[in-house]
């Protein structure tokens, strides 16, 4: 019997792996995706589903986020993925935070964003807490529900693009054109490995050279508060963490103030994001702890800090925690990398927690380079 042969084998069915499958399928390539799990259970379903553009690092990451946002907007209706809300309300509680947003608005990345006074923000976001000084409204983001979006994206790739999926199959070795698995060998002319937080099974020498470790984050779901968010919400803590803001000279004063006033929050790596699901519940987070082997436990102290900072931005009476979870994603000194162990193989990692926001553009670049085609031009 003749064995099937594919143009591309993708190892890993998280968002980055699915993005590579999409990029190749759009070139007319025959694609197989291999994953050791029976369904998506990793970082790609444990995040906010917040496709973030505003605040990403200037340069390639910001341009990739713009392009990836466009891909999400294009494929979501085709794949039956609802866009739950669009844009971001960036809320400043301190003069220093407001100064960062005003400086950001003057940059290229601030184009399209609207500066708002406290009254203007209250009119646009009536559930905002008292004491805000103003902020910035970004139109660029969109939010999907990752727990639904990842399975629907995979199903659409299979139905609409003929992508084959081999689930519950462990990849043991890659030496293109052979991919050795627990279910026998798979043949493919090119191979892309997107291992996510598995830093040891395949190409551990690449992970070691890239100084990749793991980041554990803690997140919550709160019962519906009785109002609807028109956009995602972020605050001063994010302006000191997201590099698009934090790299600005004006951010130094904000970082100093936060270090003096909330050192315990910074020690837990907390910055506040709030998004809303279709059922009205709020997804709130998150914290960041780095280790080669993070523990699986959620801290009550971290949860209390997250809820405290949420109350500084939004009026959520008697917040009831409906769900708690821990996420893990790869982290490193680079925001992303694609390394070539040989001419036919690429190891691709997003090491900045921005896979949902930049993965489609990264995949287009990698697939174009692998197959000698031109990648789509990123929006500027």
């Amino acid at each position: 019997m003749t064995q099937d042969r594919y143009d591309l084998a993708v190892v890993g069915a998280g968002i980055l792996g699915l993005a590579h499958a999409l990029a190749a399928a759009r070139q007319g390539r025959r694609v197989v995706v291999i994953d050791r799990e029976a369904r998506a259970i990793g970082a790609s379903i444990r995040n906010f589903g917040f496709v973030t553009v505003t605040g990403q690092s200037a340069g390639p990451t910001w341009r990739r986020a713009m392009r990836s946002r466009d891909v999400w907007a294009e494929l979501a209706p085709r794949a039956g993925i609802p866009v739950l809300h669009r844009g971001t309300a960036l809320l400043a509680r301190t003069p220093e935070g407001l100064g960062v947003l005003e400086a950001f608005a003057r940059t290229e990345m601030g184009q399209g964003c609207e500066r708002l006074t406290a009254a203007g923000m209250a009119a646009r976001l009536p559930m905002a807490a008292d004491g805000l000084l103003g902020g910035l409204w970004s139109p660029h983001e969109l939010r999907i529900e990752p727990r639904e979006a990842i399975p629907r994206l995979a199903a659409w790739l299979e139905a609409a693009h003929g992508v084959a999926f081999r689930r519950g199959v462990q990849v043991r070795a890659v030496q293109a054109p052979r991919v050795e698995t627990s279910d026998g060998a798979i043949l493919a002319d090119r191979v892309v490995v997107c291992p996510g937080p598995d830093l040891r099974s395949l190409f551990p020498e690449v992970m070691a050279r890239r100084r990749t470790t793991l980041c554990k984050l803690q997140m919550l779901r709160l019962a519906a508060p009785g109002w609807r968010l028109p956009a995602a919400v972020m605050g001063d803590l994010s302006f000191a963490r997201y590099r698009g803001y934090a790299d600005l000279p004006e951010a130094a004063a904000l970082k100093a103030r936060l270090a003096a006033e909330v050192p315990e929050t910074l020690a837990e790596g907390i910055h506040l994001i709030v998004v809303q699901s279709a059922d009205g519940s709020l997804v709130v987070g998150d914290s960041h702890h780095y280790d080669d082997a993070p523990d699986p436990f959620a801290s009550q102290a971290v949860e209390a800090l997250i809820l405290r900072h949420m109350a500084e931005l939004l009026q959520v009476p008697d917040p009831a925690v409906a769900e708690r979870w821990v996420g893990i994603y790869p982290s490193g000194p680079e925001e992303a990398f694609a390394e070539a162990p040989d001419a036919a193989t690429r190891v691709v990692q997003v090491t900045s927690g921005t896979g949902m926001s930049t993965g489609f553009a990264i995949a287009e670049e990698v697939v174009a380079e692998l197959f000698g085609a031109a990648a789509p031009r990123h929006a500027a």
Side-chain angles (χ1 to χ4, degrees):
M1 184 174 66
T2 303
Q3 184 174 8
D4 287 343
R5 183 161 182 152
Y6 298 90
D7 298 310
L8 177 68
V10 179
V11 181
I15 183 56
L16 194 57
L18 296 181
H20 282 83
L22 174 64
R26 283 181 161 177
Q27 287 190 8
R29 311 293 178 180
R30 194 162 185 238
V31 182
V32 60
V33 178
I34 312 157
D35 197 281
R36 65 185 179 184
E37 305 295 348
R39 62 187 182 279
I41 62 171
S44 294
I45 65 161
R46 302 189 199 186
N47 58 69
F48 292 97
F50 179 34
V51 181
T52 313
V53 175
T54 306
Q56 299 287 9
S57 297
T61 299
W62 176 68
R63 290 192 294 272
R64 286 167 172 167
M66 291 285 277
R67 170 61 186 164
S68 296
R69 185 276 319 271
D70 290 346
V71 176
W72 274 114
E74 175 193 349
L75 68 82
R78 298 179 182 180
I81 299 171
V83 175
L84 300 178
H85 51 70
R86 297 176 185 269
T88 307
L90 302 156
L91 309 181
R93 297 184 65 253
T94 66
E96 293 84 356
L98 191 60
V100 172
L101 293 182
E102 290 172 347
F104 178 83
R106 295 191 292 268
T107 70
E108 177 190 14
M109 297 185 295
Q111 291 181 11
C113 296
E114 182 182 359
R115 282 181 278 183
L116 295 175
T117 63
M121 186 63 77
R124 193 79 64 89
L125 197 74
M127 65 288 297
D130 296 333
L132 298 175
L133 301 183
L136 200 67
W137 196 279
S138 166
H140 300 305
E141 287 69 38
L142 59 82
R143 197 255 160 172
I144 48 87
E145 187 67 64
R147 300 182 192 188
E148 298 174 3
I150 297 301
R152 290 185 183 186
L153 175 56
W156 177 71
L157 286 170
E158 188 171 26
H161 288 282
V163 174
F165 283 84
R166 302 284 296 275
R167 296 191 181 274
V169 174
Q170 177 74 43
V171 175
R172 293 172 172 165
V174 173
Q175 190 169 10
R178 290 181 67 85
V179 179
E180 300 292 347
T181 82
S182 57
D183 196 34
I186 293 173
L187 298 180
D189 295 332
R190 312 276 196 291
V191 182
V192 171
V193 178
C194 303
D198 183 355
L199 308 183
R200 296 176 178 86
S201 295
L202 298 172
F203 303 101
E205 70 282 1
V206 172
M207 305 305 163
R209 184 165 54 252
R210 297 283 183 161
R211 293 184 287 156
T212 308
T213 187
L214 297 175
C215 178
K216 165 189 163 183
L217 53 87
Q218 194 167 320
M219 297 180 65
L220 310 168
R221 185 181 297 276
L222 304 183
W227 39 251
R228 296 296 309 185
L229 280 177
V233 171
M234 302 171 74
D236 294 67
L237 289 167
S238 295
F239 314 152
R241 183 176 182 90
Y242 270 62
R243 288 188 57 188
Y245 315 113
D247 287 349
L248 296 170
E250 290 81 0
L254 174 62
K255 294 174 186 176
R257 177 167 184 160
L258 293 175
E261 293 184 352
V262 289
E264 70 285 1
T265 297
L266 299 186
E268 304 292 354
I270 293 172
H271 76 106
L272 208 286
I273 298 176
V274 184
V275 298
Q276 195 163 34
S277 295
D279 63 0
S281 63
L282 302 178
V283 178
V284 185
D286 55 355
S287 57
H288 298 79
H289 298 90
Y290 302 91
D291 197 289
D292 286 340
D295 69 59
F297 307 112
S299 161
Q300 186 175 15
V302 168
E303 178 178 309
L305 285 170
I306 290 172
L307 292 174
R308 185 186 106 192
H309 290 296
M310 181 197 67
E312 295 171 348
L313 297 182
L314 294 171
Q315 300 178 44
V316 183
D318 303 319
V321 178
E323 193 174 38
R324 300 171 172 89
W325 68 94
V326 168
I328 295 178
Y329 66 80
S331 178
E334 304 164 278
E335 295 192 312
F337 67 80
E339 185 157 324
D342 58 60
T345 307
R346 299 294 181 271
V347 179
V348 188
Q349 282 278 41
V350 175
T351 46
S352 53
T354 61
M356 296 290 281
S357 300
T358 64
F360 285 124
I362 290 170
E364 288 176 342
E365 295 169 16
V366 171
V367 167
E369 190 267 335
L370 260 178
F371 289 98
R377 189 170 181 271
H378 296 163

